RNA sequence: GCAGCUGUAGCUCAGUUGGUUAGAGCGCUGGUUUGUGGAACCAGAUGUCGGUGGUUCAAAUCCACCCAGCUGUACCA
């Protein structure tokens, strides 16, 4: 019998990743910018727990037969709990629970991890950080307009210029009215149509046309069943989609399509109000785009989406479909489902990890990575001397460390190289006896290595190294 | 979920029509240098060839099933 030794895998479950310092520091900076913007706009900071009762968040799932689809859940004491999949559903729950005590409108912002039990894609994970800002309890469209300004200000605070992103605005009532007009009443059909419209950017006008009709074949040859509409219906929808750009002041083309459909006309009027508020707020980095749909379940009115206008590459250098980095809209019925009280609301959310990924790639965020000065250990017997140097540096707030492993000097320098240290301090018999320190500048040494000719050059470290008495150490390093 | 592709050392990959002890580069460890990273040279370690079963004298290679990853698609509240 040969025993198999159990070897645990060092791999992570699909869709989960380790995040490293560069990304974390960029994230910290971004978060501190966000907090400043939020304070300026008068939002309150809130945190809700990671878990909710599955029922509390499950009610708004599109597929009501399988309420835990897409969510990580477990049964606790006979009640099902789920990790939150967004911050909006927990907010609605919070608002309903504290309905009488909260000022209304209630303006809150929140940063938090959310989890989705779905197939991960490029740049999409099953655990990610979201930022949300919401107005609870107001039907005033100024709130919606302000949210767009706010998201724009946050993106600007990351160093993105106006040309690098745009806020797309639409209204759920436009597509809702269109479906009414075309007499598409079957709910399944409605959602297929809306999803098809949503895919315009990805599959093109032709792809949408197939999805509205019999169906579409993808790149791998797989077939997606379509909505099977008749030709006039398809024609009307395609005609609607051709109005991609409404930035030029007039909504006449949509009104023309609407004819006497009141839902579409209401939607248009709301957009006109928002546009008016935008001009008061001097906000112009937006475009009205009736093809924006955003999800399916709870949006009831104006919807927005923040898109980057530059391309993003994956770690293999291939361009990837990045999609929107944030969005939101009006959800007038969400709180009502908890407490049966009218509570019109609107909000936005931003996927911070994706945003950070994009701005790091664009070199938009400059994070100073502080590396310590390494004090090498020649001999344990000199530890008191090394600690003296360490304290000298640290009391001046200079990042420093004594080598904490047990390797020889060569390896200690390799360690310093890997860490990206700028300086290394070397003290052996010679230095300690003269009460001095040798300071090696690794950057200069690196430059010198380009002009190495033979082994004697290589051995000679004098160019990058300087020996001074202990009291002059700080002068050399600052 | 569906479809296509891929799976060989820590990483990136080669491995012919099945054939002896499965390779390379990078990285790692040691040495040339008992106190010096980054250059150069020398030496060395490291593999359930994704898993299981089958065909065969013989399987990394062929077959079946399973698993994992990637890409597209579906879903994404």
């Amino acid at each position: 019998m040969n025993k198999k030794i159990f070897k645990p895998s060092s791999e992570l479950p699909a869709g989960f990743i380790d995040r490293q310092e560069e990304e974390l520091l960029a994230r910290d900076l971004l978060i501190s910018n966000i907090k400043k913007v939020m304070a300026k706009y008068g939002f309150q900071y809130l945190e809700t727990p990671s878990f909710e009762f599955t029922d509390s968040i499950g009610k708004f799932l599109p597929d009501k037969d399988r309420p835990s689809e897409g969510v990580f859940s477990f049964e606790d004491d006979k009640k099902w709990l789920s990790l939150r999949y967004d911050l909006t559903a927990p907010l609605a729950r919070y608002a309903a629970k504290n309905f009488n005590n909260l000022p209304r409108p209630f303006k809150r912002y929140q940063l938090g991890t959310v989890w989705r039990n779905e197939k991960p894609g490029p740049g999409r994970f099953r655990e990610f950080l979201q930022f949300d800002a919401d107005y609870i309890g107001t039907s005033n469209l100024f709130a919606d307009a302000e949210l767009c300004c706010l998201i724009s200000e946050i993106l600007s605070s990351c160093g993105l210029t106006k040309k690098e992103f745009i806020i797309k605005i639409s209204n759920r009532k436009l597509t809702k009215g269109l479906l009414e007009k075309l007499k598409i009443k079957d709910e399944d059909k409605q959602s297929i149509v809306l999803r098809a419209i949503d895919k315009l950017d990805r599959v093109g006008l032709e792809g949408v046309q197939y999805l509205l009709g019999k169906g579409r074949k993808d790149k791998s040859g797989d077939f997606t069943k379509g909505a099977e509409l008749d030709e006039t219906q398809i024609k009307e929808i395609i005609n609607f989609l051709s109005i991609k750009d409404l930035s030029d002041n007039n909504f006449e083309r949509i009104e023309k399509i609407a004819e006497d459909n009141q839902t579409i006309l209401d939607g248009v009027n709301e957009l006109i109000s928002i546009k008016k508020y935008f001009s008061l707020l001097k906000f112009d980095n937006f475009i009205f785009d009736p093809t924006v749909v955003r999800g399916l379940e709870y949006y009831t009115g104006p919807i927005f989406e923040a898109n980057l206008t530059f391309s993003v590459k994956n770690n293999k250098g291939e361009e990837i479909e990045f999609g929107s980095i944030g969005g939101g809209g009006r959800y007038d019925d969400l709180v009502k489902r908890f407490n049966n009280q009218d509570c019109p609301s609107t909000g936005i959310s931003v996927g911070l990890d994706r945003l950070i990924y994009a701005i790091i790639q664009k070199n938009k965020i400059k994070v100073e990575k502080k590396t310590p000065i390494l004090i090498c250990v020649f001999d344990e017997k000199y530890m008191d001397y090394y600690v003296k140097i360490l304290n000298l540096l640290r009391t001046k707030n200079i990042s420093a460390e004594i080598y904490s492993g047990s390797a020889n000097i060569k390896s200690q320098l390799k360690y310093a190289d890997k860490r990206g240290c700028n300086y290394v301090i070397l003290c052996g018999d010679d230095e300690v006896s003269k009460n001095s320190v040798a300071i090696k500048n690794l950057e200069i040494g690196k430059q010198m290595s380009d002009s190495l000719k033979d082994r004697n050059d290589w051995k000679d470290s004098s160019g990058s190294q300087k020996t001074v008495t202990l009291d002059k150490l700080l002068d050399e390093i600052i």
Side-chain angles (χ1 to χ4, degrees):
Chain A
M1 290 279 281
N2 46 1
K3 262 190 209 165
K4 272 194 181 172
I5 297 166
F6 173 70
K7 199 170 75 182
S9 169
S10 60
E11 297 302 316
L12 285 170
F16 292 89
I17 55 162
D18 299 315
R19 298 182 190 276
Q20 285 168 346
E21 193 171 39
E22 182 188 25
E23 184 182 344
L24 295 176
L25 292 177
R27 177 202 273 183
D28 287 349
L29 191 66
L30 177 58
I31 288 173
S32 79
N33 287 341
I34 286 175
K35 285 182 183 167
K36 280 180 208 153
V37 174
M38 293 323 293
K40 206 160 77 179
Y41 279 72
F43 280 73
Q44 295 181 39
Y45 203 4
L46 177 73
E47 183 174 295
T48 60
S50 309
F51 277 102
E52 297 272 349
F53 287 121
T54 303
D55 288 346
S56 310
I57 58 176
K59 276 192 178 157
F60 320 112
L61 298 171
D63 188 347
K64 293 174 185 76
D65 297 335
R66 293 178 298 168
S68 52
E69 185 82 354
V71 186
F72 292 99
S73 305
F74 73 93
E75 197 173 11
D76 175 57
D77 208 11
K78 291 191 179 164
K79 279 213 139 191
W80 279 89
L81 307 187
S82 294
L83 280 168
R84 64 187 174 205
Y85 57 82
D86 73 2
L87 300 177
T88 311
L91 172 63
R93 187 231 85 218
Y94 174 85
K97 184 174 156 78
N98 300 283
F99 202 69
N100 295 327
N101 304 324
L102 291 178
R104 243 166 291 128
F106 172 56
K107 302 166 67 177
R108 88 88 177 78
Y109 76 100
Q110 184 165 356
L111 291 148
T113 308
V114 301
W115 294 266
R116 296 192 182 181
N117 196 355
E118 294 159 357
K119 187 199 154 193
R124 301 193 61 156
F125 303 105
R126 287 157 90 195
E127 174 185 59
F128 55 96
L129 187 64
Q130 249 189 4
F131 159 74
D132 272 48
D134 295 79
Y135 283 84
I136 300 293
T138 177
S139 53
N140 189 338
L141 292 174
F142 187 72
D144 300 71
E146 227 185 1
L147 286 173
C148 294
C149 295
L150 182 157
I151 199 169
S152 163
E153 193 160 335
I154 286 171
L155 293 176
S156 300
S157 80
C158 305
L160 293 173
T161 64
K162 260 190 178 183
K163 284 187 177 164
E164 288 168 325
F165 67 91
I166 192 146
I167 313 295
K168 291 183 179 174
I169 321 276
S170 184
N171 196 319
R172 219 30 183 305
K173 289 176 182 169
L174 304 183
T175 41
K176 193 181 169 211
L178 184 69
L179 291 170
E180 286 170 6
K181 228 193 112 200
L182 297 175
K183 301 204 166 54
I184 301 169
K185 287 180 183 145
D186 180 72
E187 273 187 38
D188 290 344
K189 231 169 216 188
Q190 285 188 353
S191 61
I192 296 176
V193 171
L194 289 179
R195 283 175 201 143
I197 291 173
D198 194 36
K199 278 169 199 132
L200 179 63
D201 284 339
R202 215 149 19 107
V203 301
L205 213 53
E206 203 185 343
V208 175
Q209 208 162 341
Y210 286 131
L211 286 170
L212 293 173
K214 292 242 162 76
R216 173 180 177 267
K217 245 185 204 168
D218 72 32
K219 229 168 81 181
S220 66
D222 193 27
F223 186 74
T224 308
K225 202 168 177 291
E228 293 181 320
L229 302 183
D230 65 46
E231 270 185 39
T232 15
Q233 290 172 320
I234 295 177
K235 215 175 141 192
E236 283 252 16
I237 294 172
I238 295 293
N239 183 33
F240 172 79
L241 291 184
S242 64
I243 314 173
K244 270 221 63 132
D245 182 349
L246 280 179
S247 56
D248 57 345
N249 275 328
N250 72 73
F251 292 91
E252 281 167 21
R253 277 142 75 203
I254 285 204
E255 281 167 349
K256 210 168 150 192
I257 286 175
E259 292 170 345
D260 58 352
N261 180 286
Q262 198 50 45
T263 310
I264 298 183
L265 294 175
D266 286 349
V268 170
N269 285 333
E270 289 177 4
L271 291 178
I272 289 172
S273 302
I274 291 178
K275 191 179 164 66
K276 192 181 75 194
Y277 291 134
F278 279 165
S279 74
L280 290 177
L281 289 160
K282 297 205 165 32
F283 174 68
D284 58 7
N285 198 19
F286 64 90
I287 186 168
F288 287 103
D289 181 346
T291 67
V292 172
V293 176
R294 285 208 67 77
L296 293 177
E297 187 66 0
Y298 58 60
Y299 291 121
T300 53
I303 40 185
F304 357 100
E305 193 170 278
N307 284 80
L308 299 179
T309 54
F310 53 88
S311 65
V312 177
K313 289 175 181 159
N314 67 9
N315 53 13
K316 286 179 188 161
E318 301 158 343
E319 223 169 87
I320 54 174
E321 188 66 53
F322 210 63
S324 70
I325 50 115
R330 188 155 271 284
Y331 49 96
D332 284 348
D333 302 323
L334 204 46
V335 178
K336 197 177 183 176
R337 304 177 97 140
F338 286 95
N339 62 1
N340 208 24
Q341 305 241 30
D342 269 335
C343 189
S345 305
T346 183
I348 48 139
S349 49
V350 177
L352 291 187
D353 303 298
R354 284 157 62 71
L355 176 58
I356 289 161
Y357 185 80
I359 58 184
I360 284 180
Q361 196 167 99
K362 265 261 156 179
N363 271 322
K364 285 293 173 182
I365 258 187
K366 292 247 154 59
V367 185
E368 253 183 85
K369 197 177 167 186
K370 286 192 176 158
T371 50
I373 291 173
L374 182 73
I375 301 166
C376 290
V377 177
F378 281 75
D379 197 316
E380 276 282 325
K381 70 184 177 199
Y382 294 132
M383 275 305 280
D384 60 332
Y385 196 76
Y386 302 145
V387 171
K388 199 167 148 191
I389 298 170
L390 184 73
N391 287 335
L392 195 66
L393 293 168
R394 284 189 180 165
T395 49
K396 291 286 174 195
N397 259 326
I398 297 169
S399 169
E401 67 177 48
I402 295 174
Y403 180 71
S404 50
S406 53
N408 59 23
I409 292 298
K410 189 181 170 109
S411 304
Q412 294 187 28
L413 279 153
K414 275 192 178 177
Y415 166 84
D417 196 38
K418 251 190 189 166
R419 287 287 315 262
C421 298
N422 294 324
Y423 294 102
V424 161
I425 288 178
L426 301 152
C427 300
D429 296 334
D430 296 350
E431 289 82 6
V432 174
S433 66
K434 288 177 192 152
N435 204 37
S436 64
V437 291
I439 306 159
K440 185 179 175 77
N441 185 321
L442 290 183
E443 273 176 289
I444 292 175
K446 185 149 205 156
Q447 284 162 23
M448 280 170 55
S449 73
D450 294 340
S451 54
L452 284 177
K453 286 204 181 71
D454 54 34
R455 236 180 61 193
N456 284 334
D457 276 358
W458 182 80
K459 273 187 82 171
D460 177 25
S461 53
S462 58
S464 62
Q465 216 164 306
K466 206 170 191 177
T467 304
V468 297
T469 52
L470 196 49
D471 55 304
K472 297 255 173 63
L473 171 64
L474 291 172
D475 302 333
E476 288 300 323
I477 278 165
I478 292 166

